[in-house]
Amino acid sequence: MMDKNKRFIITIAMLLSVTVLFAQTRVEKKIASKSNKYGVTYSLPKTSLVINAEVIKQTCKAGPYYRYAEKYLGVKNPVTEDEVYYELGKVTLSNKGVPDPENTYIVEFKAGTTAPYVYLTEDGLMCSINADYTPQVINDGDQERGDSRMKSSAVLTEELLMAGSVARQAEVAAKQIYHIRQSRMDILTGDADNLPPDGDAMKLVIKQLEDQEKALTNLFVGSQTAEISYYDVTIVPNDDFDNEVLFRFSTKLGILDADDLGGTPVYMNLKATERAPELASKDAEKKEKSLKGLIYNVPGKARVEILMNKNTLFKGEVQITQFGTQEGLAPVIFEDRKAPVKIYFYPETGAIKQIIQ
């Protein structure tokens, strides 16, 4: 394990509804005016890596007539006992900027600058200067899942309720299934004595018959319910690391804490691929004093791999501001009254995205 001074981990487990997820950064417009001495305070971000794991809880319920599934329905592999187990789904990684209190600055404009303004995130990270900024809406379509719950609202007829033994009940239920199938076929072929009056009514009747058949069939084959949850682990890296345990996973218990030996460890490896050269203390001090104007990040890069049982769950390259450096834009860039410069930033890293002059 790494030295705790080199990184810290925040672990959050979340259960989210199985719908499309949306994430949006809130931004605020700050105007440089006489009241704030034509200066706006902002922070540069540190990089945090958010690892998101999809966890699928499968709940299987055996039907009361599973012993007769093959005899009456030809199903050879019905659910024969109640069971709950977990599956580890897709693992993703995203870069999220968090304000660095040690790197807070003021971007200053001259009093004559034409309507200077900036957009900041609600926690003070730079988004744009002299340009309107619309936060990107992230549609996590990959996390959209349908609920595969099977209904069990079988229509229990008087004959089924009056059947004495389980064997007799299974026989009656099977007859009901075949009767429903025949009724649906008669409607579709037009052979039914009382056909629905129009197309919409036919769709409704067919849907009701299908629901009844499915509910009765579940009495033989059983049912399975999938519940999806998402588990987040956040890491703020300051150096390379190998075999860092993010969490553990158990097919019987689901996600477990990193120090819980009841599950299989999920590891993360991180290796810098682009890193700013380390400066001697005097050179670092000299550079810090020379930084003027608008200070921004030039992030480094790192290769990340997440594994379980030697199987790769995620592999990719990400930008890490902690591995990069800082540079400054001269204040003169903002002094053109006729054509004020527009600058867009990546709030996740503090890097410049685009300059428009």
Side-chain angles (χ1 to χ4, degrees):
M1 295 289 289
M2 293 174 51
D3 190 314
K4 290 184 179 179
N5 293 325
K6 291 185 178 180
R7 64 101 182 90
F8 63 87
I9 298 177
I10 305 171
T11 304
I12 304 174
M14 297 185 296
L15 178 65
L16 303 179
S17 60
V18 283
T19 56
V20 181
L21 307 179
F22 294 93
Q24 184 170 358
T25 302
R26 295 181 58 187
V27 298
E28 299 177 0
K29 185 177 182 179
K30 302 290 185 180
I31 299 176
S33 61
K34 187 175 181 181
S35 63
N36 55 25
K37 298 181 181 181
Y38 296 96
V40 176
T41 301
Y42 68 99
S43 294
L44 291 178
K46 294 179 69 173
T47 293
S48 67
L49 301 178
V50 181
I51 299 90
N52 178 269
E54 178 188 66
V55 183
I56 306 167
K57 179 182 179 182
Q58 300 283 6
T59 302
C60 301
K61 295 286 186 180
Y65 311 144
Y66 72 87
R67 291 185 177 87
Y68 306 93
E70 184 175 3
K71 178 179 179 180
Y72 291 118
L73 302 183
V75 177
K76 296 182 179 181
N77 57 343
V79 178
T80 59
E81 60 181 353
D82 294 351
E83 181 185 13
V84 175
Y85 64 93
Y86 294 84
E87 298 173 340
L88 184 60
K90 188 173 183 179
V91 175
T92 60
L93 182 144
S94 60
N95 186 327
K96 181 181 179 181
V98 293
D100 184 355
E102 296 182 0
N103 286 287
T104 298
Y105 301 93
I106 297 177
V107 55
E108 296 181 344
F109 301 88
K110 284 193 173 182
T113 305
T114 304
Y117 63 93
V118 304
Y119 274 92
L120 304 176
T121 65
E122 57 186 342
D123 47 7
L125 302 180
M126 186 71 76
C127 298
S128 66
I129 296 178
N130 293 332
D132 291 335
Y133 183 87
T134 301
Q136 181 181 4
V137 176
I138 302 174
N139 181 355
D140 295 326
D142 288 340
Q143 292 186 349
E144 183 181 3
R145 294 291 185 275
D147 191 347
S148 60
R149 292 174 185 165
M150 292 186 177
K151 307 299 182 182
S152 59
S153 54
V155 179
L156 304 180
T157 63
E158 181 179 358
E159 183 182 4
L160 180 58
L161 294 172
M162 294 297 292
S165 65
V166 174
R168 174 59 181 160
Q169 291 174 1
E171 181 183 358
V172 172
K175 288 181 179 179
Q176 288 185 24
I177 292 174
Y178 293 124
H179 177 71
I180 290 171
R181 291 176 179 175
Q182 185 60 51
S183 298
R184 182 173 66 244
M185 180 61 66
D186 290 343
I187 292 174
L188 293 174
T189 58
D191 293 334
D193 293 335
N194 296 304
L195 289 172
D198 54 44
D200 290 339
M202 178 178 289
K203 290 180 181 178
L204 179 61
V205 171
I206 294 298
K207 179 64 167 58
Q208 291 175 342
L209 290 173
E210 289 175 346
D211 289 344
Q212 292 175 21
E213 179 186 349
K214 185 175 182 179
L216 286 166
T217 301
N218 288 349
L219 297 177
F220 292 88
V221 302
S223 64
Q224 185 170 341
T225 300
E227 298 178 36
I228 301 175
S229 61
Y230 298 96
Y231 186 87
D232 283 352
V233 179
T234 301
I235 293 184
V236 181
N238 290 314
D239 207 344
D240 299 344
F241 53 80
D242 294 316
N243 294 331
E244 183 73 12
V245 179
L246 298 175
F247 55 87
R248 292 175 185 266
F249 179 77
S250 166
T251 56
K252 293 183 178 180
L253 302 173
I255 294 286
L256 301 173
D257 290 339
D259 57 357
D260 190 329
L261 301 182
T264 302
V266 175
Y267 296 105
M268 179 175 180
N269 299 324
L270 185 145
K271 176 71 174 178
T273 56
E274 291 184 18
R275 187 194 292 264
E278 292 188 15
L279 300 177
S281 57
K282 289 184 178 181
D283 293 333
E285 185 178 349
K286 183 178 179 181
K287 180 177 180 179
E288 184 176 354
K289 290 181 179 180
S290 67
L291 287 177
K292 295 180 180 180
L294 176 70
I295 312 302
Y296 61 94
N297 282 335
V298 180
K301 293 182 180 179
R303 184 175 60 253
V304 175
E305 188 173 17
I306 300 173
L307 309 99
M308 184 177 73
N309 288 330
K310 297 183 179 181
N311 294 319
T312 299
L313 305 177
F314 174 88
K315 189 174 184 179
E317 191 174 58
V318 294
Q319 292 188 328
I320 308 287
T321 59
Q322 293 87 307
F323 295 166
T325 185
Q326 295 174 352
E327 299 294 342
L329 286 177
V332 69
I333 194 173
F334 301 109
E335 294 179 7
D336 189 340
R337 298 185 184 183
K338 295 182 179 180
V341 66
K342 298 180 179 180
I343 306 178
Y344 293 92
F345 296 84
Y346 294 102
E348 300 84 7
T349 62
I352 292 177
K353 181 178 182 180
Q354 186 179 24
I355 298 178
I356 302 176
Q357 290 183 300

